[in-house]
Amino acid sequence: MEDFPFPNVVGPKMVAPLDHDRAQMLAFLPRLRRFAFALTGRAADADDLVQDTIERALRSLDRFTPGTRMDSWMFRIAQNLWIDALRAKKTRGQTAGLEEAEQVSFDGRRAVESRLMLSETSRALAALPEDQRAVVALVLIDGLSYREAASVLEVPIGTVTSRLARGREALAQRVLGSATAQWET
Amino acid sequence: MTASRETLMAYLDGELSAEEERRVAAEIAANPLLNAYVEEQRAVKARLDADFAPILSAPVPERFERMVMEARVPRRAAQRNFFSLTLPRIWLPAGAAAAGIAIGIGLSNLFGGPAMMASNNGALIATGSLARILSTELAAEQGATATTRVGLSFLNRQEKFCRTFQTASGGNALAGIACREGNDWRIIATAASETQNASAFQQAASPLPKTLREEVNDMISGQPLNAAAERTARTNNWTH
């Protein structure tokens, strides 16, 4: 095997061989970005959260147990960092909720131009209380099972299902003007 | 008895057993109010999917890939470090395009052979000989010299077929769990195999690492498949 398998690329940068944990981490990045955007609702905040999560995960990699799920582990890190950041904002007296006028589309264009592009559903998601938003992001958007979501959030499965029920019905109410949203058994 | 809201949600999210699912589906079909709830929730999910799918398939910013690829990683204390110091160094071009290659190269470098796994929209899936072996080989049929061994087959709670495997190349041994997703085998978890060298590994089946055994216990629905059930599953391409 040749030393350098890409002869047509200029200026190769030598990096260490990629161990398996970091290969899994790389593979997970698109889902992490999606999760961060679902939580924060803003492109800039989402990318900050992704960056902070990767940094924290890399620093803590010696505490990751091989054979356990990398995705659950990194979702947990991201979720905790996000909650910490929200608490810090509240402590500093900044508005915790997302003003609709401040939301920018994913590619960073200004809010005024992008309001038409940001969907009703994304705005409804951003308006959910944080605990419901996290569960909706994990179960409805990423597709984790109730058990996996409970493991990420470190809460009982019953807590996941009750937050999920409230979250998805609030979305239905706001997005569809639902008449059945106030479901009673 | 009418299905409760929690049951309807579990139905929508694939959390019910096959039998419960059939029962609830029948109730929904017969009851317009239940049906309206289910249809609404499907509409909400469809919109969420539409909004967030572009982010999943967008290229990951290069700076994030570089953080992962270039980090100095703390060495685990008192745990066998998966990648061996005898692996040859590889050259990787910097750039976003490298990420897809990096995973293939990184993983193939670990095995000293053709790539066995690749990244697909945020999931790690089996490729090459690993994918072929998961699809076509059964433990009872594998000979002593197989370098990739299949172990248990079982159904997870979402009624997908999952299989454990162990593979070795160049002195490095990896154990894992993969589950069927469409035509792919999605890698759920992996760990360094407990066998220290490839020749011993080839002579006797190694136990699955403890963390993977625990993961199987958490995932499994019912009992592992017996040989006959495995043959049937294989005939059906590991789908229902």
Side-chain angles (χ1 to χ4, degrees):
Chain A
M1 183 161 106
E2 302 159 308
D3 282 338
F4 179 55
F6 304 104
N8 55 335
V9 175
V10 174
K13 182 180 194 306
M14 179 173 160
V15 296
L18 207 62
D19 58 273
H20 188 66
D21 288 342
R22 286 190 292 145
Q24 286 195 79
M25 198 181 286
L26 254 191
F28 176 66
L29 290 183
R31 287 168 67 199
L32 177 62
R33 291 186 83 217
R34 180 173 62 173
F35 183 57
F37 195 64
L39 291 182
T40 64
R42 303 190 218 199
D45 290 352
D47 280 351
D48 284 348
L49 180 56
V50 168
Q51 177 150 338
D52 291 346
T53 302
I54 296 173
E55 271 171 18
R56 177 69 62 88
L58 289 170
R59 278 209 306 277
S60 317
L61 205 48
D62 55 345
R63 272 166 279 153
F64 171 72
T65 310
T68 58
R69 294 185 61 141
M70 172 68 72
D71 57 358
S72 303
W73 186 70
M74 288 192 73
F75 276 143
R76 191 178 306 126
I77 292 173
Q79 146 82 8
N80 288 334
L81 286 171
W82 176 61
I83 293 291
D84 290 347
L86 288 178
R87 285 197 190 123
K89 276 197 190 130
K90 281 179 189 163
T91 309
R92 290 198 298 268
Q94 293 173 355
T95 314
L98 290 170
E99 302 292 335
E100 285 195 13
E102 289 175 354
Q103 288 176 356
V104 296
S105 72
F106 190 70
D107 66 2
R109 288 202 285 270
R110 286 187 55 77
V112 167
E113 294 161 321
S114 67
R115 273 187 77 165
L116 293 171
M117 289 166 55
L118 197 61
S119 76
E120 183 81 53
T121 312
S122 297
R123 286 202 291 270
L125 180 65
L128 287 182
E130 290 108 40
D131 58 350
Q132 294 174 25
R133 203 181 321 157
V135 172
V136 167
L138 291 173
V139 176
L140 295 188
I141 297 176
D142 193 82
L144 291 191
S145 70
Y146 294 170
R147 185 187 64 81
E148 286 152 7
S151 151
V152 167
L153 298 170
E154 295 171 304
V155 296
I157 292 187
T159 304
V160 166
T161 53
S162 67
R163 289 177 186 173
L164 182 62
R166 288 198 299 275
R168 74 202 303 168
E169 288 171 16
L171 289 179
Q173 170 111 55
R174 181 158 162 170
V175 169
L176 304 174
S178 152
T180 70
Q182 307 305 319
W183 179 259
E184 302 289 342
T185 47
Chain B
M1 188 172 85
T2 318
S4 69
R5 166 220 236 181
E6 282 74 28
T7 307
L8 289 185
M9 263 198 353
Y11 168 80
L12 283 162
D13 297 333
E15 295 272 337
L16 297 178
S17 70
E19 192 189 302
E20 285 174 317
E21 198 175 294
R22 280 191 287 274
R23 184 180 62 74
V24 172
E27 271 196 66
I28 290 167
N31 185 328
L33 190 59
L34 300 186
N35 193 59
Y37 180 89
V38 162
E39 286 309 312
E40 258 172 27
Q41 288 301 322
R42 285 196 174 129
V44 167
K45 171 131 171 63
R47 287 178 190 223
L48 287 171
D49 287 345
D51 281 356
F52 287 95
I55 301 170
L56 187 69
S57 52
V60 174
E62 188 185 317
R63 67 183 187 282
F64 297 146
E65 294 173 340
R66 292 177 74 138
M67 284 173 73
V68 176
M69 291 199 290
E70 295 170 15
R72 295 197 157 277
V73 178
R75 182 169 282 269
R76 283 195 192 89
Q79 273 188 36
R80 179 165 175 269
N81 198 332
F82 178 69
F83 86 101
S84 156
L85 295 173
T86 63
L87 289 174
R89 295 243 150 220
I90 57 172
W91 295 80
L92 280 176
I101 303 164
I103 294 174
I105 294 282
L107 289 167
S108 72
N109 200 50
L110 293 173
F111 295 109
M116 289 198 191
M117 300 183 195
S119 165
N120 180 20
N121 261 0
L124 207 55
I125 59 168
T127 60
S129 60
L130 178 60
R132 180 182 54 76
I133 289 168
L134 287 169
S135 290
T136 61
E137 297 194 10
L138 303 182
E141 295 168 357
Q142 285 191 317
T145 55
T147 51
T148 298
R149 291 188 176 288
V150 286
L152 300 175
S153 306
F154 60 95
L155 282 173
N156 69 10
R157 287 179 219 277
Q158 288 75 43
E159 304 267 318
K160 300 274 186 257
F161 285 106
C162 300
R163 309 193 72 192
T164 65
F165 63 90
Q166 303 208 47
T167 187
S169 180
N172 297 301
L174 176 78
I177 306 168
C179 291
R180 196 75 166 142
E181 231 174 66
N183 276 328
D184 293 325
W185 288 98
R186 179 168 174 164
I187 309 295
I188 303 299
T190 57
S193 179
E194 282 158 7
T195 308
Q196 295 298 310
N197 67 72
S199 63
F201 167 79
Q202 285 169 3
Q203 283 162 20
S206 316
L208 207 60
K210 180 160 175 279
T211 52
L212 291 184
R213 287 203 298 276
E214 286 167 0
E215 188 66 31
V216 170
N217 279 334
D218 280 342
M219 290 168 70
I220 195 167
S221 170
Q223 294 297 312
L225 271 56
N226 62 23
E230 278 192 322
R231 286 195 294 273
T232 306
R234 176 176 62 183
T235 306
N236 294 326
N237 200 24
W238 306 91
T239 53
H240 295 284

